[in-house]
Amino acid sequence: MRIFAQHALMPEGWQANVAVEISGGTINNVLTDANTQPGDIRVSSLMPALSNLHSHTFQRGMAGMTEVRGTSRDSFWTWREVMYRFIDHLTPDQIEAIAAMAFVEMQETGFAAVAEFHYVHHQPGGNHYANVAELSERIFAAANDTGIGLTHLPVLYAFGSAGEKPLAGGQLRFGNDAVSFEALHAAIVNALRMMPHDTVIGFAPHSLRAVNPQILKDLTIAHPRGPIHIHIAEQTREVDDITAWLGARPVQWLMDNLPVDQRWCLIHATHMSEAETRGVAQSGAIAGLCPVTEANLGDGIFNGRNYLGVGGSFGIGTDSNVRISLPQELSMLEYSQRLRDRERNVLLNRPGSTGENIYTLSAKGGAQALGRNSGEIAVGKLADLVALDTDHPALCALKPAQYLDGWIFAAPDGVVSDVWSAGRHNVQCGRHVRREAVVGTYRKAMRDLASML
């Protein structure tokens, strides 16, 4: 396969007339000042595609169901109770259908890969399926159907809240102790035979409130390779609960007690002290940011200016999938900083394009968080690529150096023309090649689910 782009975002910046040659899902040659050849796939602009570093796909099925206020103050914690009730109705078929729909939408908005932070393992009430990896295999099936690159992160959720409180209600579908989690993880690894070569398996202790120090330490020793993701400081109540239990704020406790390094992705590192901000940046870990969900849940604003100022790395995710939009995640990230600081172009400390800066940082950070050899257009990298239609009215007046600013801050949905995931050309002419079939299955699944809610 050979792609010819009128303009391409290379590691050194925008280049004109670029040909990218792909074999076995990997970029094996890049030519600049190239000429078109018969059989080329021609696009107007080409960029490295982002990896979505945090997703709970099943929550896409409840989007729009939680925006009603009750009689008390609404918060993340009241939203969570609605989510638990929703989970109790989900069947394996519905989980697969919702995941496939979310994966289609992710690719149509420009993501080539996703880290699925997967914690629904069991039947309602907590009984195991005959195949303990049943629901992970449903995620695998959805990824295979849609062609998205997948980093699968089975989640260990041992306790209901800080202090080793027991699981209850909807949490019972998540629950494993250390022994049963290892059996689950082994079954998931065994199921990799059904997946393409670029699939990655890591693991995810859900949060400090859902494990305990010994389990967490043992888990990192038992799994010396692969990505490690953890929810870390999403809510101020979470910070207070962990501090009361473990004697330190969650980020500080993690940094003091675990070998946090480039394998780690700290999801929702929202509430960090200045010392924690410096510590995470210096560790090489990725801050996993999900600005749309964090805004939807009222989590707070990430300290982006100071974090980038000390060299911190980050990527973005869609988390609850209430709205799946790559440009909106990035614009929300920058706009939250502007609202807090009351100035513009905050996440850039030098002259240049804010959009290009946050996009390229997210591409590299997301690839690292997924353990995925992608994030730039270069020989030897996976062919995770996205093309924009620069003739679109929102972009047609812009120069290449402004394309990302236009896409992130000014364009509506629909400017992505093509997406490749490890060379799989899944989005063509703005639509996923499996959209019609996936939408049909999704609609049936949601009609069936709606009758039970």
Side-chain angles (χ1 to χ4, degrees):
M1 180 191 304
R2 189 176 191 265
I3 305 168
F4 178 85
Q6 293 175 347
H7 296 94
L9 183 59
M10 306 297 292
E12 61 273 18
W14 286 95
Q15 300 286 326
N17 300 321
V18 175
V20 178
E21 298 176 355
I22 300 166
S23 178
T26 300
I27 299 171
N28 62 10
N29 199 15
V30 179
L31 303 170
T32 56
D33 295 321
N35 296 314
T36 61
Q37 295 181 359
D40 282 353
I41 300 171
R42 302 184 186 188
V43 298
S44 54
S45 68
L46 191 69
M47 301 173 298
L50 264 59
S51 294
N52 177 352
L53 59 63
H54 190 63
S55 165
H56 312 297
T57 50
F58 77 88
Q59 292 177 12
R60 181 59 176 160
M62 58 183 279
M65 297 181 183
T66 64
E67 310 306 320
V68 178
R69 185 177 180 127
T71 57
S72 61
R73 183 177 179 181
D74 206 3
S75 68
F76 165 83
W77 306 100
T78 55
W79 171 91
R80 191 176 71 158
E81 292 305 315
V82 177
M83 184 264 286
Y84 289 162
R85 292 196 295 272
F86 177 78
I87 282 174
D88 273 341
H89 298 283
L90 288 176
T91 69
D93 285 348
Q94 290 162 353
I95 286 171
E96 181 180 336
I98 295 169
M101 187 71 252
F103 292 159
V104 163
E105 293 181 293
M106 289 173 194
Q107 290 173 87
E108 288 182 343
T109 196
F111 290 112
V114 61
E116 181 64 9
F117 195 100
H118 178 73
Y119 55 77
V120 185
H121 301 304
H122 311 309
Q123 300 178 57
N127 289 331
H128 291 201
Y129 290 98
N131 171 12
V132 293
E134 171 73 27
L135 297 184
S136 284
E137 290 189 16
R138 295 306 186 110
I139 301 300
F140 286 4
N144 269 338
D145 188 25
T146 62
I148 198 167
L150 178 67
T151 291
H152 192 61
L153 301 167
V155 172
L156 175 57
Y157 205 121
F159 304 106
S161 59
E164 302 183 9
K165 294 182 173 63
L167 299 165
Q171 294 174 328
L172 296 172
R173 293 197 77 172
F174 315 156
N176 283 289
D177 60 21
V179 174
S180 63
F181 177 78
E182 290 301 339
L184 170 67
H185 195 277
I188 291 169
V189 170
N190 186 57
L192 275 176
R193 64 187 183 278
M194 65 189 288
M195 299 301 292
H197 68 91
D198 55 298
T199 306
V200 176
I201 300 294
F203 71 93
H206 178 272
S207 56
L208 291 183
R209 66 180 187 270
V211 294
N212 65 24
Q214 192 60 54
I215 288 175
L216 186 54
K217 291 174 183 178
D218 290 346
L219 194 64
T220 57
I221 293 170
H223 298 271
R225 291 176 295 278
I228 308 172
H229 291 213
I230 186 170
H231 293 136
I232 194 63
E234 182 173 5
Q235 287 278 320
T236 54
R237 180 177 130 185
E238 177 180 25
V239 174
D240 293 343
D241 287 350
I242 295 301
T243 302
W245 178 37
L246 298 179
R249 293 164 55 88
V251 172
Q252 188 61 57
W253 187 92
L254 193 74
M255 301 295 295
D256 287 346
N257 289 276
L258 276 298
V260 176
D261 57 17
Q262 293 183 350
R263 296 176 64 199
W264 287 77
C265 182
L266 309 189
I267 305 296
H268 309 308
T270 307
H271 300 288
M272 295 195 293
S273 68
E274 288 303 316
E276 290 169 337
T277 299
R278 289 192 301 274
V280 173
Q282 292 166 1
S283 74
I286 300 296
L289 310 177
C290 308
V292 171
T293 292
E294 289 157 2
N296 182 268
L297 297 179
D299 289 343
I301 299 173
F302 176 68
N303 188 10
R305 181 198 291 272
N306 290 357
Y307 184 70
L308 293 187
V310 292
S313 299
F314 74 93
I316 60 164
T318 59
D319 192 2
S320 71
N321 295 299
V322 65
R323 173 74 185 276
I324 298 177
S325 172
L326 183 159
Q328 191 172 51
E329 295 290 352
L330 289 172
S331 63
M332 182 69 74
L333 174 61
E334 169 66 23
Y335 284 165
S336 66
Q337 311 297 303
R338 296 183 186 192
L339 287 167
R340 182 196 60 215
D341 296 349
R342 289 177 291 176
E343 63 177 273
R344 301 186 71 248
N345 296 308
V346 176
L347 295 178
L348 185 65
N349 59 6
R350 53 176 171 74
S353 162
T354 297
E356 185 172 321
N357 185 59
I358 59 178
Y359 186 90
T360 54
L361 290 175
S362 296
K364 293 176 182 177
Q368 178 182 321
L370 268 70
R372 191 168 176 85
N373 183 26
S374 61
E376 60 183 10
I377 300 176
V379 173
K381 296 290 186 180
L382 287 173
D384 284 3
L385 304 168
V386 59
L388 302 182
D389 173 14
T390 56
D391 288 332
H392 189 282
L395 303 180
C396 65
L398 302 180
K399 299 175 182 177
Q402 299 170 315
Y403 287 162
L404 281 163
D405 291 327
W407 182 27
I408 293 167
F409 298 111
D413 292 337
V415 301
V416 171
S417 64
D418 298 83
V419 172
W420 292 262
S421 297
R424 299 180 290 272
H425 194 183
N426 298 324
V427 176
Q428 303 177 23
C429 300
R431 289 175 62 86
H432 195 283
V433 296
R434 290 282 295 154
R435 166 170 272 278
E436 185 174 348
V438 168
V439 168
T441 302
Y442 175 78
R443 282 180 174 149
K444 181 183 183 305
M446 293 307 294
R447 283 194 296 267
D448 294 343
L449 181 58
S451 69
M452 296 185 290
L453 294 177

